[in-house]
Amino acid sequence: SLRFFSRGVSMKMLGVKVPRNFRLLEELEEGQKGVGDGTVSWGLEDDEDMTLTRWTGMIIGPARTNYENRIYSLKVECGPKYPEVPPTVRFVTKISMNGINNSNGMVDARSIPILAKWQNSYSIKVVLQELRRLMMSKENMKLPQPPEGQTYSN
Amino acid sequence: MAENSGTDPAVETNIEENAAASATIIKVTVKTPKDKEEIAIAEDSSVAQFKEEISKRFKAKQDQLVLIFAGKILKDGDTLGQHGIKDGLTVHLVIKTAQKSSSGSSQTSASSGPGPSQGNTAETADPSPASNLGTPEGSGPSPTPTQPPNILAGFGDLSGLGNLGMGSANFMELQQQMQRQLMSNPEMLSQIMENPLVQSMMSNPDLMRQMIVFLYSNFNILFLLVKTMELARNPAMMQEMMRNQDRALSNLESIPGGYNALRRMYTDIQEPMFSAAREQFGNNPFSALGGNTDNSGVQPSRTENREPLPNPWGPPDSAATTTTSGTASTTSSTTSSTTPSVSNPLGISSSSLGNGMFNSPGMQSLMQQISENPQLMQNMLSAPYMRTMMQSLSQNPDIASQGPAPAPTPAAGTNTAQQQLMQQMLQMFAGGNASTPTPEVRFQQQLEQLSAMGFINGEANLQALIATGGDINAAIERLLGSQPS
């Protein structure tokens, strides 16, 4: 049988906006199939969440940076207007990185390029991959990091 | 419904007890940034057991292993089933080389591993949603305060979704998934419900059941069809849709390489589609849907159309050849048939729409053909050109960027149940529409009532009535609630 990808595509052909839940179900499936190189992962925070709003994400810190080998846990919230508007993203695991609020882990949408210039073809995966990419940037990779395993306490 | 979700504690213990007995082996891919291995494991194993296997395969110590699935860290005490890990899925592995092994899991407890087992130690977690909600354990992330009531309580966990697109083994699962999806998208739900065809189907539960299975596995194609039929009934919407498509197409053209992609798409998709359609139906039958008997069956050609175009200043009904764009050629026929074109794949002419398209002899004969030979419909749906279309679509970089790897081929197998279903559906379609007068006539009474109530926009009233199948109350709600979006 056909996957949601093709459904979404055929809807695009008709010029119909892909409904939010279609999209999110696609992303859910992708997350379970482990698409990509294995350095990010995402899934529903609560399997029973029928609104498909709250997601957890994981980023594995890239090698040759101060984030190396650490596992960063994030919360991603896809609101009702997603994917027309970007999700809100928050680090749960403490991290020192430009654009991430030091005290609560909130990702500042204005500082992260793809959040600032969001397109509805972006996805949770893209956001996580982008954050990971930014970890490798010169301005971030050498930042001293808090001890491993700490989390923001909100 | 007493169907056990994986979150019911009673079922949970059951699973544990049977852990030794059950032997369904699943193959799970374990991926590190460098490596990938497929590991066979009993599907009701615990994470700890899984890690045992992994440590052997990856030659690493068990406590160096951190497993991640769908954004959650897997704790030793969890089971694979708890996280919805099934055959064919992928789990991410991080091998901790440094001192703090497994720091991700136990230490950060409730916070970084926001899975069901918050703040637990090695005991098996109770993953029931109740404990997840409002856990007063001072866990890091705030539990979902606005958890919607689980309408489908007891209908099984989301792990069923792991089977999305992988075959409709379990009907109940499918139904749940569909319901779940529909429930959470009220727009789509109302759209579907408003379709009078759907309403008449609701009264037949057997058909309903089969329909859902069929729909689910062929959703996008059927969606296209239904959408098209719907459009056919609503000329304004049709034109809107056409405009959107044309706009989208012209956008595509303006992207570098876009024109080529379009041409490619046209030649790859349209040609085989038309010739296949012609083969099967013998001379484009869709052109007959306009209610005229002139089967022009013109070949869409890549060269310029050298025939004289219809006289735009001629008598009104000859100006009805509309909406051909791209490289399709226009026919010189002055009747209201329209050849299929890039943006108008079924060659439906707007002018014929108001005339009860489904009453036309062409449509009737098509219906008859199809119901006599449901294989036809099945073939049409799973025909090679559909596959090509999907493949082409996935190759088109603009579209492919929207999603992951190309879709697998559609289910090509003929299914007797599906055939029967198709037959029934089409009969109902044909039968249901056979004696349908135009909407204005059907809804005359309702229209009068509506205007008496102060809804003076006759056009909007009619649309609302059509959409709700004549239900005044629903139509009123629609009229009151409709917002341009």
Side-chain angles (χ1 to χ4, degrees):
Chain A
S1 2
L2 295 157
R3 291 162 61 202
F4 278 107
F5 165 66
S6 45
R7 279 159 218 164
V9 167
S10 47
M11 292 188 71
K12 278 269 163 188
M13 282 209 76
L14 284 175
V16 175
K17 268 196 264 187
V18 180
R20 170 187 179 274
N21 288 2
F22 255 15
R23 248 295 283 271
L24 288 169
L25 284 170
E26 254 181 50
E27 300 200 41
L28 184 66
E29 197 185 353
E30 265 198 295
Q32 291 178 329
K33 294 230 171 103
V35 167
D37 58 3
T39 51
V40 299
S41 171
W42 64 97
L44 273 181
E45 175 175 330
D46 177 357
D47 288 347
E48 307 280 315
D49 176 9
M50 285 192 305
T51 65
L52 304 176
T53 302
R54 288 187 173 74
W55 297 70
T56 55
M58 291 270 171
I59 300 177
I60 298 172
R64 292 177 293 284
T65 68
N66 283 359
Y67 308 101
E68 175 159 12
N69 232 24
R70 297 199 190 193
I71 300 173
Y72 291 95
S73 175
L74 296 88
K75 286 204 177 299
V76 179
E77 190 162 315
C78 299
K81 297 224 184 84
Y82 179 90
E84 300 305 314
V85 309
T88 55
V89 188
R90 179 162 77 78
F91 272 84
V92 174
T93 315
K94 275 203 180 152
I95 185 172
S96 176
M97 184 170 151
N98 282 292
I100 316 287
N101 181 314
N102 245 334
S103 52
N104 61 12
M106 285 295 302
V107 174
D108 181 8
R110 294 158 303 179
S111 321
I112 308 294
I114 60 156
L115 292 177
K117 297 216 175 71
W118 178 261
Q119 298 185 16
N120 63 10
S121 54
Y122 295 158
S123 62
I124 298 171
K125 171 179 83 176
V126 165
V127 173
L128 295 175
Q129 287 176 332
E130 175 72 359
L131 287 170
R132 187 172 191 272
R133 194 186 63 78
L134 288 170
M135 289 180 190
M136 297 190 270
S137 71
K138 286 204 189 62
E139 56 171 14
N140 285 321
M141 60 190 290
K142 294 270 181 248
L143 289 174
Q145 296 297 320
E148 207 177 330
Q150 287 190 354
T151 60
Y152 295 104
S153 54
N154 54 349
Chain B
M1 284 264 155
E3 175 135 350
N4 279 323
S5 67
T7 57
D8 182 2
V11 176
E12 247 268 292
T13 12
N14 223 9
I15 289 178
E16 280 168 51
E17 283 163 15
N18 291 336
S22 157
T24 329
I25 305 286
I26 56 174
K27 295 215 181 58
V28 180
T29 304
V30 179
K31 223 190 220 181
T32 67
K34 303 197 180 79
D35 230 338
K36 189 161 92 156
E37 295 272 346
E38 204 179 64
I39 298 201
I41 185 93
E43 86 178 329
D44 43 23
S45 307
S46 68
V47 171
Q49 289 169 319
F50 192 32
K51 280 189 176 174
E52 247 186 79
E53 290 302 314
I54 295 177
S55 88
K56 290 185 211 153
R57 192 74 74 87
F58 283 84
K59 317 261 191 302
K61 294 222 288 240
Q62 218 169 310
D63 55 7
Q64 286 177 291
L65 306 178
V66 179
L67 286 175
I68 298 168
F69 178 71
K72 296 202 187 92
I73 291 185
L74 307 182
K75 302 197 184 1
D76 286 10
D78 298 344
T79 65
L80 299 186
Q82 231 171 285
H83 287 276
I85 297 174
K86 293 189 175 307
D87 189 64
L89 296 183
T90 298
V91 161
H92 298 305
L93 171 66
V94 178
I95 302 178
K96 296 242 139 219
T97 46
Q99 326 79 329
K100 285 222 173 163
S101 56
S102 71
S103 61
S105 34
S106 44
Q107 229 143 347
T108 48
S109 64
S111 311
S112 84
S117 43
Q118 290 186 8
N120 276 350
T121 52
E123 304 149 34
T124 319
D126 175 15
S128 81
S131 74
N132 211 6
L133 284 177
T135 328
E137 303 169 77
S139 46
S142 49
T144 56
T146 50
Q147 183 84 9
N150 189 356
I151 306 172
L152 305 174
F155 261 57
D157 61 21
L158 206 67
S159 56
L161 275 183
N163 280 333
L164 272 180
M166 286 192 218
S168 49
N170 184 350
F171 165 70
M172 274 310 280
E173 253 180 21
L174 276 181
Q175 193 178 34
Q176 294 153 25
Q177 290 157 26
M178 253 205 70
Q179 279 184 358
R180 201 193 307 264
Q181 188 186 330
L182 283 180
M183 292 301 177
S184 44
N185 187 344
E187 267 174 44
M188 204 168 83
L189 185 61
S190 61
Q191 244 186 20
I192 292 180
M193 287 310 178
E194 281 158 10
N195 188 328
L197 176 62
V198 171
Q199 281 171 359
S200 59
M201 258 202 303
M202 292 294 212
S203 48
N204 182 346
D206 278 321
L207 181 57
M208 202 53 208
R209 216 165 290 145
Q210 292 183 40
M211 193 58 168
I212 289 177
V213 174
F214 181 73
L215 274 182
Y216 196 77
S217 45
N218 292 329
F219 192 89
N220 71 327
I221 297 171
L222 279 180
F223 183 84
L224 272 175
L225 280 180
V226 170
K227 260 278 178 235
T228 315
M229 306 271 195
E230 222 177 277
L231 293 184
R233 252 177 283 161
N234 184 345
M237 188 166 152
M238 176 76 158
Q239 289 188 14
E240 179 67 30
M241 206 56 99
M242 297 295 190
R243 257 177 266 136
N244 279 346
Q245 264 202 314
D246 288 343
R247 225 181 304 139
L249 280 173
S250 54
N251 282 345
L252 273 183
E253 265 183 32
S254 55
I255 299 170
Y259 181 70
N260 286 336
L262 268 183
R263 247 206 340 147
R264 225 186 310 138
M265 185 169 89
Y266 175 72
T267 55
D268 287 348
I269 296 170
Q270 297 280 303
E271 287 237 62
M273 181 155 103
F274 295 149
S275 45
R278 243 201 317 278
E279 264 168 42
Q280 284 191 339
F281 295 115
N283 255 0
N284 190 356
F286 292 118
S287 65
L289 296 179
N292 73 65
T293 48
D294 174 29
N295 270 336
S296 30
V298 176
Q299 316 256 0
S301 101
R302 263 176 272 185
T303 62
E304 266 178 50
N305 174 27
R306 299 223 167 80
E307 296 177 340
L309 293 173
N311 182 357
W313 295 285
D317 61 9
S318 69
T321 36
T322 56
T323 62
T324 50
S325 72
T327 50
S329 63
T330 25
T331 107
S332 57
S333 128
T334 55
T335 61
S336 57
S337 78
T338 325
T339 49
S341 69
V342 174
S343 62
N344 187 356
L346 292 185
I348 295 174
S349 140
S350 326
S351 71
S352 67
L353 293 178
N355 301 334
M357 170 178 142
F358 296 112
N359 293 341
S360 74
M363 191 64 172
Q364 296 287 22
S365 81
L366 177 61
M367 291 301 187
Q368 216 175 349
Q369 269 185 45
I370 289 181
S371 48
E372 275 160 19
N373 182 8
Q375 182 73 30
L376 211 58
M377 188 58 125
Q378 187 70 24
N379 284 351
M380 185 167 102
L381 290 180
S382 55
Y385 58 77
M386 278 296 177
R387 228 165 297 170
T388 333
M389 177 153 88
M390 290 308 159
Q391 280 170 13
S392 292
L393 286 174
S394 60
Q395 279 157 23
N396 182 335
D398 304 306
I399 294 176
S401 65
Q402 308 260 352
T409 59
T414 15
N415 186 334
T416 350
Q418 284 187 345
Q419 285 176 21
Q420 284 172 359
L421 176 62
M422 236 13 241
Q423 205 165 359
Q424 276 177 303
M425 179 172 101
L426 288 167
Q427 273 171 3
M428 197 173 289
F429 219 138
N433 279 308
S435 54
T436 307
T438 68
E440 292 97 334
V441 173
R442 273 168 69 200
F443 299 137
Q444 195 173 6
Q445 196 200 19
Q446 289 95 325
L447 279 170
E448 281 170 20
Q449 280 180 300
L450 282 176
S451 62
M453 280 189 238
F455 294 101
I456 49 177
N457 185 347
E459 168 77 23
N461 290 350
L462 186 58
Q463 296 307 333
L465 282 169
I466 292 175
T468 60
D471 179 346
I472 285 217
N473 288 328
I476 290 173
E477 275 188 44
R478 222 183 145 77
L479 289 167
L480 288 174
S482 62
Q483 305 272 354
S485 59

